[in-house]
Amino acid sequence: MKPALLCIDLQTLFATRGQGIFADGGKLHWSQEEQDEFFARLETVVLPNVRRLQAVFRDKGLEVLHIRTRAKTSDGRDRTFWHKRAGLLATPGSPEAEFLASVVPLRDELVINKTGIGPFGNSNLPELLIQLNLSQLYCCGVHTDGSIESTIRAGADFGYCPILVEDACAAAGEMRHSLCVGRLQNLSGEMTTTNKLVEDLQQHLRSVS
């Protein structure tokens, strides 16, 4: 099975202090404690691990796919009903659609824009996976119990092998993250850690350079 790294929703809309869903007056229903836990994990654990994963996938010549929430229209009318209802909007060229600086796409890495919570029903990801002959999908990013869970469950239903990189994801607090990991384990996909995946790729695949 040919592997790929799926970096999901690592953008301003979902992962930046004081902006997007974390902006003052937004529709976020997280407590301050949940926000503090989220950003602590994001900044000290998740983003460093995503950078490590991106580096080893690039070194081995494997696909790094960047999946973000972004409408095709300037008013977001092509979003799903639930994203409209939640007030989630990132339009072309908007700050909300920008990737986090530390994990941006490089060179000709593919960017997939989705208009709902998961990419399988709201983007061209299924077609790309077929074209690129990808079947082993290592998922990282935010939020574990949102876009990540949706991607893994749908990927399994579509016949792919989705793998959650547990320490490269974050949710609204450690409890929500842990509960989601428990739901997914051995039901919709497999589980791994950054260290295990990096070690496996380094031992079994040659670098392209």
Side-chain angles (χ1 to χ4, degrees):
M1 292 185 289
K2 192 174 178 182
L5 181 66
L6 274 57
C7 303
I8 301 169
D9 281 348
L10 290 169
Q11 62 185 102
T12 300
L13 179 64
F14 293 114
T16 301
R17 293 178 186 269
Q19 298 185 58
I21 65 173
F22 298 99
D24 291 339
K27 295 186 177 182
L28 182 68
H29 300 296
W30 292 11
S31 68
Q32 189 59 52
E33 181 181 3
E34 289 173 333
Q35 292 188 50
D36 291 342
E37 287 185 10
F38 170 76
F39 281 108
R41 179 179 175 87
L42 180 72
E43 293 163 1
T44 64
V45 178
V46 174
L47 291 178
N49 282 340
V50 172
R51 288 195 294 271
R52 287 182 63 202
L53 293 169
Q54 289 179 342
V56 73
F57 270 75
R58 289 162 178 161
D59 179 62
K60 303 303 180 182
L62 302 173
E63 293 286 349
V64 178
L65 305 181
H66 302 265
I67 302 172
R68 66 178 169 185
T69 298
R70 201 206 72 177
K72 300 179 182 69
T73 57
S74 59
D75 60 2
R77 64 184 181 276
D78 57 311
R79 291 172 293 165
T80 61
F81 168 80
W82 295 106
H83 269 203
K84 291 176 182 177
R85 182 172 177 176
L88 297 175
L89 178 61
T91 57
S94 68
E96 290 78 13
E98 293 298 317
F99 292 102
L100 301 185
S102 61
V103 290
V104 296
L106 297 184
R107 298 180 294 278
D108 62 347
E109 290 175 350
L110 291 165
V111 173
I112 295 96
N113 297 313
K114 60 186 177 73
T115 54
I117 187 169
F120 275 91
N122 301 284
S123 77
N124 64 335
L125 178 64
E127 291 82 1
L128 282 175
L129 295 178
I130 293 171
Q131 291 167 358
L132 298 172
N133 193 30
L134 301 173
S135 56
Q136 203 167 27
L137 311 178
Y138 290 93
C139 299
C140 63
V142 298
H143 299 117
T144 318
D145 56 347
S147 296
I148 303 295
E149 182 172 10
S150 177
T151 302
I152 288 175
R153 289 186 179 278
D157 287 343
F158 271 72
Y160 295 98
C161 179
I163 301 101
L164 175 68
V165 188
E166 186 275 331
D167 58 355
C169 302
E174 291 298 325
M175 182 175 293
R176 290 180 64 170
H177 172 79
S178 297
L179 288 172
C180 182
V181 170
R183 288 196 302 271
L184 291 173
Q185 195 154 14
N186 299 322
L187 291 177
S188 298
E190 299 178 0
M191 206 79 55
T192 191
T193 65
T194 299
N195 284 340
K196 289 179 182 178
L197 179 53
V198 168
E199 181 180 1
D200 183 61
L201 292 176
Q202 288 177 337
Q203 287 184 353
H204 295 98
L205 291 177
R206 293 182 178 179
S207 299
V208 294
S209 57

